[in-house]
Amino acid sequence: MKRYVDVILPLPLPNSFTYAVPEEWAGEVKPGCRVVVSFGRKKYYTAIVGNVHGNAPAAGYEVKEIVSLLDASPILLPMQFRFWQWIADYYLCTQGDVYKAALPSGLKLESETIVEYNPDFEADTPLPEREQRLLDLLATDASQSVTRLEKESGIKNILSAINALLAREAIFVKEELKRTYKPKTETRVRLAGTPGERALHVLFDTLPEKQLALLMKYVECSGYLAGGTPKEVSKAELLRRADATPAVFNGLVKKRIFEVYQQEIGRLRPDTEPADTQPLHPLNTFQQRAYEEIVESFGQKNVCLLHGVTSSGKTEIYIHLIQETLRQGKQVLYLLPEIALTTQIPERLRRVFGSRLGIYHSKFPDAERVEIWNRQLGEHSYDIILGVRSSVFLPFHDLGLVIVDEEHENTYKQQDPAPRYHARNAAIVLAAMYGAKTLLGTATPSIESWQNAVEGKYGLVQLKERYQEIQLPEVIPVDIKELHRKKRMVGQFSPLLIQYIKEALEQKEQVILFQNRRGFAPMVECRTCGWVPRCQNCDVSLTYHKALGQLTCHYCGYTYQLPRKCPACEGTELVNRGFGTEKIEDDIKVLFPEASVARMDLDTTRTRSAYERIIADFEQGKTDILIGTQMVSKGLDFDHVSVVGILNADTLLNYPDFRSYERAFQLMAQVSGRAGRKNKRGRVVLQTKSIDHPIIHQVIANDYEGMVASQLSERQLFHYPPYYRLIYVYLKHRDEALLDQMATAMGEKLRTVFGDRVLGPDKPPVARVQTLFIKKIMVKIEQNAPLAHARELLLRIRQEMLEDERYKSLLVYYDVDPM
């Protein structure tokens, strides 16, 4: 019986596609395996088999066969298919979008065009110079990729020359599948054949001194004469231990005494011996009570919210819950909002759980992520996975507990590209599929989670005492509007903040300064005519980065050299407006030249090791003052921080978003929590021009419930979450006039179905990104409305829009539960 497969392609297409299975693989192809398929004209993709069946597609089109089977066993588990389907349905995207986001790049093969020389080709007439140059390159290497030929020949628009040579049959083209993941191997050495003891002694008598020393070191390292199977010895280790040169080694290979072979080795951190682990720290009275309440809550509800003030020891409670879950033989997923946190928490977990812990995030090389994925499929999978939002896509055999730390963080929400999922919500659904429990932990819960807990949908446990009963920091507001008027500010620092920094440094204590903008200055302006350099691709001013000596767009990466004079009026007075972390770093070094200063933002933490170095130096006291963006606010634990400076709270409050007050409170409360954590009460200097703003007073009093009460009354009045669900409709196009026309048409279509639940279309705060103009429509849907029906209507309307010839080039997508 002929077999067929339905496959998921890594493309934003709504349907799966059916291919025939060649006879030789009929019994080997299973759901979850990867296969190579031809799609379109000469394009190959790695597809995931979703279903194997015997139903031939309806007549009328040719069914292609799969080109290759890549896996002997599935790389996707059945539960992952269910999870992918939920993500695609809920977030209004395709399974192809989910596939692209879920799998590490190394598990996806890429199609690349290869050009081959035809040795039988003979030219009747001289060829044009461009074509002859290509043939000359192919004469030296008969098979090359288009990318390589373009680079080596220097020919622009090379495809026209390749097409001309194809027409002459001077070359052939083919698609070659390029593996992006290669197993890591190590060169190892063994004796050629199996010489006995007598044969070895003969060699000992005949070899030159250096070769003899190397051979004897091999015998020692491998235990060759000790009986049993010799140990494997790497070439690098042998040369190091014998202090020998590669030439000496190669001499023994030529004499056929040594032979070398490649052995696959993992890139993952070597397993920690069980002897290296330590017992759990006992919980204090407050932590123990919270732990027991969480366990009791899990008896009745699947999700529990742990509302614990900063430095209350939530991580220690997590560790005890993980231990209990592992004792039951189940796995744990521990989610963090920021890669920076994966430099501190792993060491705490490794001390207790050793090699049972695996870490997964995007700063790891792709090859390492492939190996973690493969390990999770096998019998020796990690019991605990610690990672950021993408960790929800890893395979799990028996998930028992999901911990979402700092659950309020907006970095759990994927913005671009699709799927635009929220990892906290996705983790709750994933846990439910496995029958596992979910713990949401934070000092400042999101209003949605708090409402779910108060209404009884989630369990609620509160931990209001800091560890060792340290007091919460003293928050001191400073009116910088008045200080600016009196000309008493020193740059961006109030006299009070400078005094506290000075006192902290004198007492060998540390300081954190928070400014939620990176770069030197958010804007450069000509004082004479008001000219401001703007991005040529986006509707934003360029940010000045002094270290790079250039202006940069933080949306598309466009760079522009800072001009010496204004291109509009040729004036020379170009001044910086605003300030970022780079400017703060410069100013603080002038004020405190003896202090060691570090900066932690997106510019200084491009690599995994950069995070680790900055945080380790601060932990060890090598850094006195740490300047950072919101990265420094998220759960980092430093023992000697006595002063925290929030340099400008107004940038957090004055953002055009209904969540801005909630976010401002969360961010200020979290960054304040970095102060005075172990030995004494800390101080937080909160600089603001809005000294009478209610949020400022709520932060000072740590009045979370007061903030929530005021926000909930407003949101209920204006139909915002948690009372209504939001879905943003984004429309993008290069032609602004056409976009306006299309957005108006789509707004009218949506209003005919959803009525006054639709707002817009409007321009978002940044109305052009990467040369595309943007319009946004907001749809508000009641919490008790059938969401599945609403999603069906939204997908139908988008399809109708794109079927209209006028709007075919329109880019339309939905953002469900935007942050």
Side-chain angles (χ1 to χ4, degrees):
M1 178 183 169
K2 186 70 177 170
R3 305 298 289 168
Y4 297 90
V5 289
D6 298 330
V7 301
I8 303 166
L9 289 160
L11 299 169
L13 300 169
N15 304 313
S16 58
F17 293 84
T18 304
Y19 287 81
V21 181
E23 285 300 319
E24 67 261 34
W25 296 322
E28 297 174 40
V29 176
K30 304 179 190 75
C33 286
R34 293 174 305 154
V35 292
V36 176
V37 296
S38 167
F39 189 80
R41 295 189 63 192
K42 295 186 178 178
K43 279 287 180 188
Y44 290 93
Y45 292 96
T46 304
I48 301 282
V49 176
N51 187 25
V52 183
H53 57 84
N55 305 321
Y61 77 94
E62 176 194 356
V63 181
K64 296 179 182 177
E65 286 193 337
I66 62 174
V67 176
S68 176
L69 172 64
L70 297 178
D71 302 305
S73 57
I75 64 150
L76 229 62
L77 303 177
M79 197 67 79
Q80 286 173 284
F81 278 112
R82 279 185 59 198
F83 184 57
W84 282 21
Q85 188 62 59
W86 177 82
I87 293 262
D89 289 346
Y90 187 85
Y91 290 103
L92 297 171
C93 62
T94 68
Q95 286 207 48
D97 290 321
V98 183
Y99 166 23
K100 284 173 74 176
L103 259 67
S105 304
L107 291 175
K108 298 178 288 219
L109 302 186
E110 298 173 0
S111 178
E112 185 171 343
T113 304
I114 299 295
V115 178
E116 286 190 331
Y117 180 67
N118 178 5
D120 299 327
F121 172 71
E122 288 180 10
D124 299 326
T125 55
L127 296 174
E129 184 193 345
R130 282 157 46 99
E131 293 173 32
Q132 189 60 54
R133 202 185 316 167
L134 288 180
L135 279 187
D136 292 343
L137 283 169
L138 287 166
T140 56
D141 186 352
S143 182
Q144 298 185 45
S145 69
V146 169
T147 317
R148 185 177 156 196
L149 280 172
E150 191 170 29
K151 187 177 177 182
E152 292 189 3
S153 67
I155 297 172
K156 293 184 178 177
N157 192 18
I158 196 173
L159 290 178
S160 60
I162 287 173
N163 282 333
L165 288 171
L166 269 173
R168 300 178 194 272
E169 296 186 354
I171 57 170
F172 307 117
V173 297
K174 67 174 184 177
E175 291 292 310
E176 179 168 285
L177 291 160
K178 183 177 71 178
R179 285 187 185 271
T180 56
Y181 168 71
K182 291 179 182 176
K184 186 176 181 180
T185 59
E186 178 181 70
T187 303
R188 294 193 173 166
V189 57
R190 60 189 168 210
L191 292 178
T194 52
E197 193 171 337
R198 183 177 294 176
L200 278 177
H201 280 294
V202 171
L203 287 174
F204 293 162
D205 293 336
T206 58
L207 286 173
E209 183 183 343
K210 289 183 178 178
Q211 291 184 351
L212 172 62
L214 186 57
L215 177 59
M216 292 185 77
K217 182 56 71 175
Y218 169 80
V219 171
E220 178 193 324
C221 292
S222 65
Y224 189 84
L225 296 177
T229 307
K231 291 181 196 169
E232 293 194 331
V233 179
S234 77
K235 176 184 172 182
E237 184 193 3
L238 179 61
L239 292 178
R240 181 180 57 78
R241 292 181 64 173
D243 195 21
T245 63
V248 174
F249 179 86
N250 292 336
L252 289 171
V253 173
K254 282 181 184 175
K255 291 179 179 178
R256 301 198 176 176
I257 296 168
F258 280 170
E259 66 180 19
V260 293
Y261 63 100
Q262 297 298 313
Q263 179 68 37
E264 185 176 333
I265 57 169
R267 291 176 173 85
L268 305 180
R269 178 184 173 124
D271 287 350
T272 310
E273 292 300 317
D276 294 339
T277 60
Q278 300 169 2
L280 275 68
H281 293 301
L283 300 175
N284 67 22
T285 308
F286 307 115
Q287 291 171 326
Q288 184 63 36
R289 186 174 68 226
Y291 172 83
E292 289 166 3
E293 286 176 11
I294 291 166
V295 172
E296 186 183 339
S297 168
F298 280 158
Q300 301 156 28
K301 295 182 172 69
N302 288 329
V303 183
C304 178
L305 174 64
L306 173 60
H307 178 207
V309 296
T310 54
S311 197
S312 56
K314 293 186 290 293
T315 307
E316 209 57 51
I317 295 173
Y318 301 159
I319 289 171
H320 281 253
L321 288 165
I322 290 168
Q323 179 82 311
E324 177 57 26
T325 306
L326 298 189
R327 193 186 62 75
Q328 296 169 12
K330 297 193 172 183
Q331 292 172 298
V332 177
L333 172 59
Y334 188 150
L335 289 177
L336 295 167
E338 191 73 63
I339 292 170
L341 288 176
T342 62
T343 63
Q344 272 200 335
I345 291 176
E347 292 313 312
R348 292 179 69 176
L349 294 177
R350 276 206 184 94
R351 282 199 292 268
V352 179
F353 302 111
S355 61
R356 304 174 81 176
L357 172 72
I359 302 167
Y360 188 83
H361 60 68
S362 61
K363 285 287 190 285
F364 278 168
D366 190 69
E368 281 190 35
R369 283 183 281 152
V370 170
E371 290 188 10
I372 291 171
W373 186 287
N374 288 335
R375 179 164 175 169
Q376 286 303 97
L377 291 167
E379 291 180 14
H380 304 292
S381 59
Y382 289 112
D383 294 324
I384 310 158
I385 287 290
L386 177 73
V388 291
R389 62 174 180 253
S390 58
S391 306
V392 296
F393 293 116
L394 280 169
F396 292 94
H397 292 289
D398 193 4
L399 193 59
L401 174 67
V402 176
I403 296 168
V404 185
D405 198 11
E406 309 294 351
E407 65 84 27
H408 65 279
E409 283 291 350
N410 63 340
T411 43
Y412 278 125
K413 171 73 173 175
Q414 163 77 7
Q415 301 297 342
D416 274 311
R420 295 170 181 84
Y421 67 101
H422 196 299
R424 177 196 62 212
N425 301 344
I428 290 169
V429 172
L430 179 70
M433 288 178 175
Y434 280 92
K437 304 296 181 184
T438 306
L439 180 66
L440 310 177
T442 177
T444 53
S446 65
I447 287 178
E448 289 91 335
S449 294
W450 178 259
Q451 185 77 344
N452 281 331
V454 169
E455 290 178 347
K457 186 177 176 183
Y458 299 167
L460 175 62
V461 175
Q462 292 189 284
L463 182 59
K464 295 186 176 180
E465 296 79 12
R466 283 185 127 194
Y467 189 66
Q468 295 178 347
E469 300 181 44
I470 300 164
Q471 289 178 286
L472 282 163
E474 177 189 9
V475 181
I476 305 158
V478 175
D479 186 354
I480 55 174
K481 183 179 180 181
E482 186 66 14
L483 289 171
H484 274 298
R485 191 179 67 79
K486 293 177 178 177
K487 295 186 167 55
R488 291 184 56 206
M489 291 288 286
V490 182
Q492 310 307 326
F493 309 103
S494 60
L496 185 68
L497 179 56
I498 291 172
Q499 178 194 329
Y500 285 162
I501 293 172
K502 187 178 178 183
E503 287 174 9
L505 295 176
E506 284 171 356
Q507 294 167 24
K508 304 295 181 192
E509 293 168 344
Q510 291 173 302
V511 177
I512 289 177
L513 298 177
F514 170 75
Q515 169 61 13
N516 210 25
R517 277 184 185 275
R518 63 190 171 102
F520 190 82
M523 192 171 80
V524 172
E525 183 182 60
C526 173
R527 186 171 275 170
T528 308
C529 73
W531 172 82
V532 173
R534 303 187 70 80
C535 177
Q536 65 177 18
N537 305 316
C538 309
D539 184 23
V540 290
S541 57
L542 297 172
T543 301
Y544 175 46
H545 289 255
K546 186 179 177 184
L548 301 171
Q550 64 187 22
L551 297 153
T552 303
C553 173
H554 289 169
Y555 284 86
C556 71
Y558 168 76
T559 58
Y560 178 75
Q561 212 62 33
L562 183 68
R564 292 175 183 272
K565 56 186 180 180
C566 172
C569 71
E570 298 198 344
T572 54
E573 286 192 275
L574 295 175
V575 293
N576 299 319
R577 299 293 187 202
F579 58 97
T581 48
E582 196 179 3
K583 174 87 164 77
I584 300 302
E585 183 184 22
D586 264 22
D587 291 352
I588 210 78
K589 283 177 177 175
V590 172
L591 287 170
F592 300 99
E594 302 300 315
S596 170
V597 180
R599 174 163 55 95
M600 189 161 86
D601 56 27
L602 195 61
D603 298 316
T604 61
T605 55
R606 299 272 178 199
T607 65
R608 164 177 150 202
S609 59
Y611 278 106
E612 293 167 358
R613 188 188 66 254
I614 293 167
I615 290 169
D617 285 353
F618 198 63
E619 274 180 324
Q620 293 161 20
K622 294 178 184 175
T623 305
D624 301 315
I625 302 172
L626 179 63
I627 298 156
T629 55
Q630 60 183 10
M631 288 179 184
V632 300
S633 72
K634 299 176 183 179
L636 294 167
D637 187 0
F638 301 117
D639 293 352
H640 305 294
V641 175
S642 63
V643 175
V644 166
I646 298 172
L647 298 179
N648 190 347
D650 306 293
T651 56
L652 306 172
L653 294 167
N654 301 328
Y655 192 77
D657 184 85
F658 74 94
R659 283 196 177 91
S660 62
Y661 288 177
E662 175 193 0
R663 286 213 187 113
F665 180 93
Q666 289 167 340
L667 206 45
M668 286 189 272
Q670 289 284 343
V671 79
S672 299
R674 303 311 114 210
R677 295 176 66 85
K678 286 282 167 77
N679 45 19
K680 72 173 204 179
R681 190 180 190 194
R683 286 170 173 160
V684 178
V685 178
L686 197 164
Q687 299 186 166
T688 176
K689 293 176 183 173
S690 313
I691 198 78
D692 296 322
H693 198 290
I695 290 290
I696 301 297
H697 296 288
Q698 287 160 354
V699 170
I700 293 166
N702 195 37
D703 183 13
Y704 171 79
E705 292 184 28
M707 182 275 292
V708 170
S710 62
Q711 288 300 297
L712 282 175
S713 60
E714 282 189 17
R715 292 192 190 182
Q716 189 166 25
L717 186 63
F718 294 107
H719 297 175
Y720 279 101
Y723 302 103
Y724 278 68
R725 289 186 184 277
L726 291 187
I727 298 174
Y728 288 170
V729 187
Y730 285 98
L731 302 95
K732 296 184 179 181
H733 202 277
R734 295 186 196 282
D735 184 330
E736 188 175 15
L738 186 60
L739 177 67
D740 288 346
Q741 179 190 335
M742 293 187 288
T744 303
M746 186 152 191
E748 287 169 2
K749 272 184 177 289
L750 288 165
R751 259 183 277 276
T752 58
V753 175
F754 294 101
D756 60 3
R757 297 180 185 88
V758 178
L759 297 178
D762 291 311
K763 285 183 177 181
V766 179
R768 187 171 70 113
V769 173
Q770 294 180 2
T771 72
L772 293 171
F773 292 95
I774 307 168
K775 280 293 185 91
K776 183 177 89 172
I777 300 171
M778 185 190 296
V779 183
K780 299 178 179 180
I781 299 171
E782 298 87 341
Q783 280 287 2
N784 57 3
L787 200 59
H789 182 54
R791 288 198 294 266
E792 191 180 304
L793 292 169
L794 286 165
L795 289 172
R796 193 190 74 204
I797 290 167
R798 181 172 68 181
Q799 189 61 31
E800 286 173 6
M801 286 293 296
L802 297 177
E803 282 173 358
D804 189 319
E805 281 296 323
R806 294 170 296 168
Y807 307 143
K808 274 201 165 178
S809 56
L810 176 68
L811 178 64
V812 184
Y813 64 83
Y814 296 113
D815 188 1
V816 180
D817 299 340
M819 291 295 284

